[in-house]
Amino acid sequence: MTFSRRKFFAIAGTTAVGTLMVSPMEGLLARQAFGRRFGKGYGPLVPDPRGLLDLPAGFQYRTFSLTGELMNDGTKVPGGHDGMAAFPGPRNTVILVRNHELSPTSATQVQGPNPYDPFCKGGTTNLVVGRDRQLIKQFTSLSGTFRNCAGGLTPWGSWISSEENTSTPTSFPIGNRNYVSKFHGYNFEVPASVTSAVKPEPLIAMGRFNHEAVAVDPKTGIVYETEDTGDSLFYRFIPKVRGKLKEGGTLQALKFKDIFQAQTFADFPKGKPMKVEWVTITEPNPPQDTVRVEGFAKGAAQFARGEGIWYGNGEIYFCCTSGGALGLGQVWRYIPAKETIELFVESTSAAELENPDNIVVSPYGDLILCEDGDDEQFLVGVTPKGELYQFARNSLNTSEFAGACFSPDGKTLFVNIQTPGITFAIWGPWTSHRG
């Protein structure tokens, strides 16, 4: 980091910041300073005097749960804040379940009494946030897992936390800096209602691969899964019993109906729905990282690093971080009821969109994308027409945004800056300043 830990905590110690209305000249200067196109949205971003988060005029933020803080269970807040979801809690509180993307060599770790693998430092923490957006309680809810990047919320009130690593005791034996004692590459379920760490149980039937994120169709209970590799597949898991993933089910991969082994990395038409079908994976828990190899051999389509995914209004959107002709990212839209998929967004320049990662469908119809590029990082909004705009800028450093999600009442956007690890609550005039 290019700033001291003392400076970080001094900056982040402020509980809330209200941004002010800006003049046309100030808005122009903001555009020139950031070098980014704004388009439709909530207006130009106002530079944050505290150097944390630039937002449109009228929006405010509060920070909490910084890396290193002491939690209620006596452990410290780990780093690597990543995927996250918000759930309704008792007495009008909000419960956040948050991933920590940490490996065995990370400087911090998720500490809990029931680690899945004692040599691994990833996992989840649960946060209880009050009506005033103040943190009430935080504690470890899952530990001993490997690089919990993202995941997804379920309609039955739990968070599926996903491992983005397929290490085994053979691939990383004792003596290696990354050694592990168990197989990795699984999903784990964490109920939002827990008050202490769960006993980890891998959801083996959902597949062992470089998991990124999941989204559940509430109408069917089918779980859709992304995979973060350069030749990833897009999966669905059909559980034997709706809402009970531990009881197993069938894993399948998406195939374009009229294209065998489609490669969607570039030169795909935008806005053209295409019919799909599904091929069944017969070995969802292979000894090697070969689930996608089996699926592709059966005709499944390949995607360029599938990452964030979210369900909203009968549609499922997911990001391909390095997709597109320029490798700057794509957003795909899958409609389960029609069994169609289409390329919804493809970045044409880094100034427009750079490597989208986590994604959320907002209550107001737009998508919010978390950038994970090389330079300055933005939260990028996407209108229902596919128009892009910048909603927030990380003015602290160049670390990625992660874990964007809205409170159950739709009034607060929660999001993380992954490093050094900080969670934001953002609120303001969500239905105004729209172009």
Side-chain angles (χ1 to χ4, degrees):
M1 293 181 291
T2 59
F3 51 91
S4 70
R5 184 176 178 84
R6 176 179 298 177
K7 179 182 178 182
F8 166 66
F9 280 102
I11 295 173
T14 303
T15 57
V17 174
T19 61
L20 303 175
M21 298 298 293
V22 294
S23 67
M25 180 58 68
E26 288 173 319
L28 175 61
L29 292 175
R31 285 185 173 92
Q32 293 173 340
F34 299 151
R36 300 295 295 265
R37 185 173 69 82
F38 283 84
K40 295 178 182 286
Y42 293 92
L45 306 186
V46 181
D48 180 5
R50 292 164 181 84
L52 279 179
L53 191 67
D54 302 328
L55 294 168
F59 282 87
Q60 305 176 66
Y61 72 77
R62 177 166 288 133
T63 66
F64 48 79
S65 194
L66 314 181
T67 297
E69 285 183 349
L70 189 65
M71 298 196 294
N72 295 79
D73 59 3
T75 66
K76 292 184 178 180
V77 175
H81 296 29
D82 212 290
M84 188 166 64
F87 302 84
R91 296 179 292 279
N92 293 318
T93 59
V94 174
I95 298 172
L96 298 174
V97 187
R98 182 183 62 198
N99 271 8
H100 295 271
E101 188 183 12
L102 300 171
S103 68
T105 57
S106 296
T108 66
Q109 72 178 91
V110 183
Q111 296 176 302
N114 305 306
Y116 169 68
D117 183 339
F119 298 120
C120 291
K121 297 181 178 180
T124 64
T125 51
N126 280 28
L127 291 70
V128 180
V129 181
R131 287 177 291 181
D132 56 358
R133 303 180 179 90
Q134 295 277 10
L135 181 65
I136 297 174
K137 184 179 182 180
Q138 55 183 337
F139 56 91
T140 293
S141 50
L142 173 73
S143 66
T145 47
F146 201 137
R147 289 191 63 187
N148 300 67
C149 195
L153 78 168
T154 73
W156 49 90
S158 64
W159 167 256
I160 306 300
S161 184
S162 303
E163 289 187 307
E164 191 191 0
N165 189 279
T166 56
S167 294
T168 71
T170 301
S171 63
F172 289 103
I174 300 299
N176 187 290
R177 293 180 67 243
N178 290 300
Y179 60 83
V180 299
S181 64
K182 293 186 177 181
F183 276 65
H184 293 272
Y186 299 114
N187 287 329
F188 295 81
E189 188 163 15
V190 180
S193 59
V194 299
T195 57
S196 60
V198 301
K199 183 178 180 180
E201 184 174 346
L203 300 171
I204 294 174
M206 295 186 73
R208 192 179 84 83
F209 52 86
N210 278 283
H211 285 278
E212 177 66 30
V214 306
V216 183
D217 183 345
K219 297 178 181 178
T220 63
I222 294 176
V223 185
Y224 295 87
E225 309 180 69
T226 57
E227 178 180 29
D228 190 358
T229 61
D231 57 349
S232 65
L233 306 187
F234 181 58
Y235 302 94
R236 73 176 183 183
F237 177 70
I238 306 174
K240 290 180 179 178
V241 181
R242 180 188 178 116
K244 296 184 179 181
L245 305 180
K246 295 179 182 179
E247 297 191 18
T250 301
L251 182 67
Q252 298 180 322
L254 181 142
K255 174 186 174 296
F256 284 81
K257 194 167 185 178
D258 298 323
I259 306 176
F260 189 80
Q261 295 182 334
Q263 294 180 308
T264 68
F265 314 137
D267 301 322
F268 246 75
K270 191 171 75 171
K272 180 182 178 181
M274 303 180 73
K275 284 288 187 179
V276 305
E277 55 192 13
W278 298 85
V279 298
T280 297
I281 303 297
T282 57
E283 186 53 77
N285 187 34
Q288 305 298 324
D289 183 17
T290 57
V291 171
R292 69 186 181 282
V293 176
E294 178 189 342
F296 187 63
K298 293 178 176 179
Q302 289 181 331
F303 295 88
R305 293 189 58 199
E307 295 218 52
I309 183 171
W310 207 272
Y311 171 92
N313 301 318
E315 300 175 330
I316 290 174
Y317 294 86
F318 66 95
C319 295
C320 287
T321 293
S322 56
L326 301 179
L328 292 171
Q330 301 167 322
V331 179
W332 293 82
R333 173 165 58 189
Y334 168 68
I335 303 178
K338 297 180 180 180
E339 287 287 12
T340 61
I341 192 170
E342 67 178 283
L343 179 59
F344 183 59
V345 169
E346 181 173 320
S347 178
T348 59
S349 72
E352 181 180 65
L353 175 66
E354 186 177 11
N355 305 122
D357 191 333
N358 288 180
I359 183 175
V360 64
V361 179
S362 85
Y364 308 100
D366 291 1
L367 308 178
I368 300 293
L369 310 179
C370 297
E371 286 192 327
D372 183 13
D374 295 326
D375 301 311
E376 56 185 2
Q377 306 296 305
F378 288 80
L379 289 179
V380 177
V382 185
T383 71
K385 294 182 179 180
E387 299 163 317
L388 304 179
Y389 62 90
Q390 278 68 50
F391 173 73
R393 174 180 176 267
N394 173 1
S395 58
L396 176 66
N397 57 22
T398 57
S399 179
E400 68 183 273
F401 280 110
C405 58
F406 279 85
S407 59
D409 65 6
K411 295 180 180 179
T412 304
L413 171 65
F414 297 99
V415 71
N416 302 311
I417 287 179
Q418 186 175 83
T419 302
I422 180 172
T423 296
F424 293 85
I426 303 169
W427 68 98
W430 291 111
T431 56
S432 63
H433 296 114
R434 304 306 309 278

